[in-house]
Amino acid sequence: MTSDLLAPLDLAFWNIESAEHPMHLGALGVFSAHSPTAGAHAADLLAARAAAVPGLRMRIRDVWQPSPLRPLSFGSATREVDPDFDPLHHVRLHAPTSDFHAEAGRLMERSLERGRPPWEAHVLPGEDGVSFAVLFKFHHALADGLRALTLAAAILDPMDMPERKPRPEEPRRGLLPDVRKLPGLVRGAVSDVGRALDIGASLAVSSLGVRSSSAFTAEATGTRRTAGVVLDLDDVHRIRKSEGGTVNDVLIAVVAGALRRWLDERGDGSEGVRPRALIPVSKRRPRTATPQGNRLSGYLIRLPVDDPDPLGRLDTVRSAMDRNKDAGPNRGAGAVALLADHVPALGHRLGGPLVSQAARLWFDILVTSVPLPSLGLKLGGNPVTEVYPLAPLARGQALAVAVSTYRGHVHYGLVADAAAVPDLDRLAAALTEEVAALSAACGG
C-alpha cells in the first residue's frame, strides 16, 4: 500500500483539531431541482462516483514507527488509500428541510471520523421540491480550498474544460541533496531563520495598540451556526472601478462595514475597534491543484471597523493590502503558517493543543476567498445556483467569513459559534446594506 507523509502544515491542522473545534472546510451548494426526487438521485450519483476518485479514498494514519529512510517521521501521519473505503458511509441523504443553512450549521459541528477518509457529502432535499443542497466537508489536513474544490468537482457532472498542456515533469529527488546545490541550501536555511524572526516580530507588533471586541471571541461551546449572503458582482465592480483597488479589497471592506453596523446594533460599539483579520494566501501555483498538501500563507490587516466613512474604510483596506502584497506572502505576521515547515513531526504532535490555544493571540477573524470556476456546476443535470464556502472556526474565536464569486454573483459564507453569535442573520443582512452604502458613496 503506497502512502506519503503529510506536509508540515497538513500535520499541524490534523493535530490542532478538537471535538469543539473541528478543522474541516465546508461548501454549501444549492441546486435547482428538475424533480422532487432530484436530491435522492444526487446522493446516488455522488456515492457511485466517489469510489473512482483516488483523493476521496485517502485516509490519514498516525506514524509511530520510525523509518531509516524517514528518521524525522516519528509522530507524523501518512495519507494512504483506505482498503475498506465505503462511499455510502461518506454520502448521506437527509430528510427534506426548509432551511439549508440551519441544517448546515448543525452538520458543521460534527467532527469527521479520523479513522476513515476525512470528508463527507450531505444531501439536503428542499421541502419545496424544486431545490436541494449538498454540504461538502473536507478536513483541512486532506485539502486546502483549491484542492477541496478539485475533489468536489470530480464527483459533480463533468465540465467542458479548455485543454491544458501538460507541465514538464520535475526530476525525481534523491535521498540526499545534490552537492552542487549545498551553498544555495545553506543560504536558504539562513534566510529561513531571518524570515522566522521577522514573522515573530511582526506578530508581536500586531497585537499592540488597538482595541478589539469581545464579539470576536468565544469560549468553546462546540456549536455552529451558518448564514449566507448573495450580492451582485456588477455592484462590486462598479465600486472597484470608481475607487480603484481590487475586487478582493472591496469584499474585505464590505466585511469591515458590516461588522461596524452589527457591533453598533447589538450594543457592543465600534469605537476604536480594529480587529485583526487573517487573509489566507494560496502559494499553490496555477494549474497545480492536484498535488496534495496545503500551500498557504497569509496577510494580516486591521479592519477599519471604527471608521464611519465607507470610502475611508475601503481606502484603508486597499492600502493595507497593497503593503502586504509589496512585502510578499513570506513575511509579516500573517505568514505564521510558513513556520510549520520548520517544526519536526513530533513537535506538531505535542504542540498541537498549545498552538490551537494561540489562534486568538494571532488574529481575531478569518476572511478568506475561495476560487470557483466560471463554468456552471451541475449534479445529475441540476444546476448549482448558489455556493457558500464555509471556513473552520479557530479555538477561542466566534466568527469566520469566506467568500466566493460564481457566475456573476458574490457568495459570502458565515460560520459562527452559535452560542456566542445568535444574531448571525443580522450580520448577514449588514453585508448587503454595506454594499448599498458603498455604491451610494460612489455616486452609484
Side-chain angles (χ1 to χ4, degrees), residues 407-427:
R407 296 182 68 82
H409 291 89
V410 176
H411 293 83
Y412 280 97
L414 308 179
V415 177
D417 183 285
V421 188
D423 55 345
L424 187 63
D425 289 343
R426 183 63 207 112
L427 176 58

Side-chain angles (χ1 to χ4, degrees), residues 109 120 141 391:
E109 294 177 2
E120 292 173 352

Side-chain angles (χ1 to χ4, degrees), residues 1 5 13 52 57 67 77-78 149 157 162 201 205 217 227 231 253 335 387 428 434:
M1 180 184 298
L5 288 175
F13 285 132
R57 295 169 22 227
S67 164
T78 62
L149 172 64
D157 292 355
V205 171
T217 61
L231 305 176
V387 186
E434 181 61 16

Side-chain angles (χ1 to χ4, degrees), residues 358-384:
R360 72 167 71 185
L361 302 178
W362 177 20
F363 62 96
D364 301 302
I365 183 173
L366 178 73
V367 183
T368 184
S369 177
V370 181
L372 290 177
S374 58
L375 299 174
L377 301 171
K378 295 182 180 180
L379 179 56
N382 303 285
V384 174

